[in-house]
C-alpha cells in the first residue's frame, strides 16, 4: 500500500453506484462455489463497501485463470471496469527494486551488509542520521530508522496544488534528513519510502543506469511483462483504465487519476492484474533469484503495531510481506496504494497459486473504513489462495 503507509491513501467512503458489471471465467471446484464464482462474490463484497471499481484475477496451479470485475470505471459515464485495466503499481514496485538489489548481490556487485555510506557517501547525514551505521539490508527491511519524508496531500486543495509537482531523489532524501531517526538502525520497524529512494540511488550507483532501466531489462522484458511500464513524470495512465477516486471527507470525493507520483523514480510503474500475477509467480518459483537470495528475501521480522492492524500476523522480509492463510501456511505479497488505486496481491510459497485485486477508489476518512477496505481485499486474496484446500506443508 504504502506510500508513507496510507499517508497518501485518504480512502473513500461509499458513493452512489452508477453501474455494476461483473465478468468472470468459470472454473469448477468439486465442493462449494467455483473459483470464478467466489472471486465474483468477493469483488461484489468490496464494491458493496461503496468502492466504485474493482478488478481481480486469480491463477490456479493448473494455470487456469478466474477474472472478475465489479462496479464502474467512471462515475460520470458509468462505463464498466475493464478486466485488463492499467493501475498504478505504487509500493508493489518496492518488490521490483528489492529483486534487482538481490540480483546485484548474487552477482557479487554489492553486499547486503554494505553501508549506505559506502555507496552514497555523505547522503545520509545530519540530525542524528548516520549512513555508516545503516546497511542495505536494513533499507530493504524498513529497519533503518530513517524517517519517511515523502510529502502528501490530505485535502482536495492540497491535491490540486501538488499533483504535478516533481520531486528529485535528493529533495526527498533531504526531507527525511531534516528529521531525527525514528529509532537506532536495527532496533525497530517503520515503513520508510525514503529507504527505497536510497535503494534506487544505490542501484544507479552500482550499475550506472537508473533503477527503472534495470527493472525493465532484468525483470519485465525477460518475463514478457509488456503491460508493466515506467511512466516517469507523466500524470496519465495508458488506456484502458478505471478512474481513481479518493474521498477527503464527507462530500469531498475527488477524481485523483491525474497526478505525478511523488517518488516517480520508484513508484511510477503502471501494471495490470495479469502482469502483477506473472511477476509474483516468477519471483516465488525462483525464476528471478537464486535460492540463497530468495531465502534472504523471505527472512522476516515483525512489523509495527500500527501496520499489524492492516496486516494481521504480517511480517516483512526484503521487499516482501509474509501473511498467514486461513487454510494454513502463509503467503507472500506487497500491496500498493497511491492516488486512489489500492491493490492487494498474494502468491503461495510454492508460487502455484496467486491473486491480485485492484480497487480504484480509496476510502480513508476513518480508520474503520480503511480497515474495512483492507479486510475485504485481504479476504479475496485468502479465498483465492485457499481455493484448493490446506496450504500447510
Amino acid at each position: 500500500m504504502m506510500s508513507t503507509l496510507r499517508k497518501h491513501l485518504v480512502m473513500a467512503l461509499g458513493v452512489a453506484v452508477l453501474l455494476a458489471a461483473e465478468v468472470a471465467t468459470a472454473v469448477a471446484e468439486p465442493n462449494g462455489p467455483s473459483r470464478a464464482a467466489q472471486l465474483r462474490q468477493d469483488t461484489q463484497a468490496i464494491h458493496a463497501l461503496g468502492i466504485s471499481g474493482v478488478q481481480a484475477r486469480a491463477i490456479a496451479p493448473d494455470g487456469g485463470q478466474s477474472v472478475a470485475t465489479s462496479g464502474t470505471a467512471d462515475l460520470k459515464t458509468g462505463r464498466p471496469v475493464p478486466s485488463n485495466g492499467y493501475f498504478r503499481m505504487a509500493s508493489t514496485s518496492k518488490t521490483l527494486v528489492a529483486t534487482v538489489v538481490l540480483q546485484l548481490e548474487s552477482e557479487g556487485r554489492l553486499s547486503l551488509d554494505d553501508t549506505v555510506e559506502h555507496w552514497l557517501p555523505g547522503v545520509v547525514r545530519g540530525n542524528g542520521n548516520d549512513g555508516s551505521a545503516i546497511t542495505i539490508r536494513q533499507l530493504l527491511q524498513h529497519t533503518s530508522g530513517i524517517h519517511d519524508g515523502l510529502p502528501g496531500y490530505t485535502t482536495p486543495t492540497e491535491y490540486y496544488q501538488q499533483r504535478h509537482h516533481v520531486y528529485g531523489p535528493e529533495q526527498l532524501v533531504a526531507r527525511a534528513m531534516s528529521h531525527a531517526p525514528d529509532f537506532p538502525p536495527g532496533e525497530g520497524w517503520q515503513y520508510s519510502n525514503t529507504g527505497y529512494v536510497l535503494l534506487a540511488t544505490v542501484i544507479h550507483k552500482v550499475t550506472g543506469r537508473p533503477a527503472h532501466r534495470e527493472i525493465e531489462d532484468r525483470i519485465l522484458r525477460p518475463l514478457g511483462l509488456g503491460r508493466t511500464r515506467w511512466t516517469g513524470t507523466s500524470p496519465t495512465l495508458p488506456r484502458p483504465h478505471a478512474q481513481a477516486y479518493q474521498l477527503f471527507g464527507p462530500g469531498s470525493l475527488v477524481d485523483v487519476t491525474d497526478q505525478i507520483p511523488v517518488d516517480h523514480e520508484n513508484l511510477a510503474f503502471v501494471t495490470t492484474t495479469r502482469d502483477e500475477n506473472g511477476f509474483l509467480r516468477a519471483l516465488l518459483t525462483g525464476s528471478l533469484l537464486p535460492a540463497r537470495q530468495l531465502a534472504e528475501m523471505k527472512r522476516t521480522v515483525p512489523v509495527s503495531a500500527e501496520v499489524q492492524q492492516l496486516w494481521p500476523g504480517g511480517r516483512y522480509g526484503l521487499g516482501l510481506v509474509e501473511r498467514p492463510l486461513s487454510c494454513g501456511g502463509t503467503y507472500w505479497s506487497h500491496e500498493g496504494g497511491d492516488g486512489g488505486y489500492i491493490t492487494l496481491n498474494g502468491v503461495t510459497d510454492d508460487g502455484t497459486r496467486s491473486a491480485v485485486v485492484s480497487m480504484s477508489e480509496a476510502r480513508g476518512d476513518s480508520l474503520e473504513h480503511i480497515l474495512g477496505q483492507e479486510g475485504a481485499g485481504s479476504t479475496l486474496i485468502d479465498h483465492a489462495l485457499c481455493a484448493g484446500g490446506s496450504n500447510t506443508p
Side-chain angles (χ1 to χ4, degrees), residues 143-369:
T143 57
S144 69
I146 292 175
H147 185 76
D148 199 353
L150 264 63
Y153 50 80
T154 57
T155 66
T157 298
E158 289 180 351
Y159 162 71
Y160 288 115
Q161 289 174 341
Q162 300 177 26
R163 60 180 172 162
H164 294 153
H165 284 186
V166 176
Y167 298 90
E170 299 85 0
Q171 291 174 284
L172 297 176
V173 172
R175 288 175 62 95
M177 294 303 102
S178 68
H179 295 266
D182 293 335
F183 49 82
E187 296 186 19
W189 191 93
Q190 188 65 42
Y191 198 87
S192 175
N193 289 287
T194 307
Y196 275 75
V197 174
L198 290 164
L199 287 166
T201 307
V202 169
I203 291 172
H204 197 163
K205 187 72 175 287
V206 173
T207 66
R209 305 173 73 231
H212 68 88
R213 293 294 185 197
E214 292 294 320
I215 288 169
E216 290 163 357
D217 290 348
R218 290 170 172 269
I219 301 173
L220 305 182
R221 287 197 183 95
L223 295 180
L225 303 180
R227 293 174 69 85
T228 301
R229 308 174 186 178
W230 186 75
T231 58
T233 57
S234 171
T236 62
L237 290 84
R239 295 186 182 278
H241 65 263
Q243 298 299 107
Y245 297 95
Q246 196 154 320
L247 189 75
F248 296 92
S252 294
L253 182 67
V254 177
D255 183 332
V256 296
T257 313
D258 178 27
Q259 62 174 285
I260 298 171
V262 171
D263 177 15
H264 68 275
E265 293 287 342
N266 279 327
L267 302 182
F269 281 92
V270 296
T271 191
T272 63
T273 57
R274 184 186 296 275
D275 269 20
E276 194 156 292
N277 269 294
F279 166 56
L280 292 171
R281 293 167 74 86
L283 179 62
L284 268 295
T285 54
S287 297
L288 294 172
L289 292 174
R292 186 173 70 82
Q293 279 70 34
L294 183 57
E296 287 287 344
M297 190 178 231
K298 293 161 73 173
R299 289 177 58 186
T300 62
V301 297
V303 300
S304 65
E306 175 192 17
V307 178
Q308 282 284 342
Q309 295 181 78
L310 300 173
W311 305 336
R315 297 174 62 88
Y316 203 95
L318 305 185
L320 202 58
V321 180
E322 183 179 24
R323 297 186 61 181
L325 282 167
S326 64
C327 52
T330 61
Y331 70 96
W332 300 94
S333 69
H334 201 305
E335 64 184 82
D338 205 2
Y341 295 107
I342 297 176
T343 303
L344 276 67
N345 49 52
V347 59
T348 53
D349 191 64
D350 60 3
T352 62
R353 288 184 182 274
S354 65
V356 175
V357 56
S358 179
M359 299 166 274
S360 51
E361 185 173 306
R363 42 190 335 251
D365 57 329
S366 71
L367 180 60
E368 177 186 358
H369 293 136

Side-chain angles (χ1 to χ4, degrees), residues 310 344 370-380:
L310 300 173
L344 276 67
I370 291 172
L371 296 180
Q373 182 169 8
E374 184 77 15
S378 296
T379 295
L380 181 149

